[in-house]
Amino acid sequence: MKIFVINGPNLNMLGKRPQSIYGKVTLDEINKDLSARAKELGLEAEFYQSNHEGELIDILHKAHGEAKGIIVNLAAYSHYSIALRDAVEILSIPVIEVHLSNIYSRENFRHKSLISPLVAGVLCGFGPLGYRLALEAIKDILQ
Ligand code: DQA
């Protein structure tokens, strides 16, 4: 069962972003760990990252008929992109939203995610572990 793991803008810069907020683990390291864990769970993780809103929309469209579930961190776009929110709305597969940081303990403009009301669940504040927990959650939902 294929799971899309989709990361949005600036997440390719993990390791270089402020470490007090995002830690020092890179996106590559997160993805390698997830790939191994997915195999253990009998899932196949496919990884995407883009800094461009339209490209992220295309990836979400591509998930139709290809993916059985999605783990998504739309980063800053989560807070204001109606276009990405609408692309998530079309999906009929389970979507789990992840944020490395606790968006509720940060600036006010991060407190609202436009996609949270549409997804199966949200994990934030657990760092890279959030992606692993999301994988477990997807496995559970799909069983
Ligand atoms: C983030 C939180 C967002 O507010 C921020 O813009 C990001 C990363 C997180 O994973 O904590 O780029 O989604």
Side-chain angles (χ1 to χ4, degrees), residues 26-89:
T26 65
L27 188 58
D28 250 20
E29 288 166 341
I30 291 175
N31 289 348
K32 272 199 192 100
D33 173 69
L34 271 188
S35 181
R37 185 65 189 130
K39 273 190 202 118
E40 284 168 15
L41 293 171
L43 303 171
E44 185 198 341
E46 200 162 284
F47 299 95
Y48 298 89
Q49 190 279 327
S50 175
N51 296 317
H52 306 281
E53 190 178 26
E55 214 164 274
L56 289 163
I57 292 169
D58 289 342
I59 295 163
L60 288 164
H61 290 175
K62 182 172 141 74
H64 289 265
E66 277 196 40
K68 291 277 185 270
I70 297 183
I71 296 171
V72 72
N73 182 350
L74 292 175
Y77 283 138
S78 321
H79 310 302
Y80 69 94
S81 171
I82 296 170
L84 279 164
R85 180 245 173 250
D86 288 350
V88 170
E89 185 184 47

Side-chain angles (χ1 to χ4, degrees), residues 9-11 17 22 73 75-76 79 98-101 103 106 110:
N10 298 306
L11 291 168
R17 294 186 75 177
Y22 298 111
N73 182 350
H79 310 302
V98 172
H99 297 281
L100 292 150
S101 62
I103 55 174
R106 299 183 63 194
R110 295 185 203 275

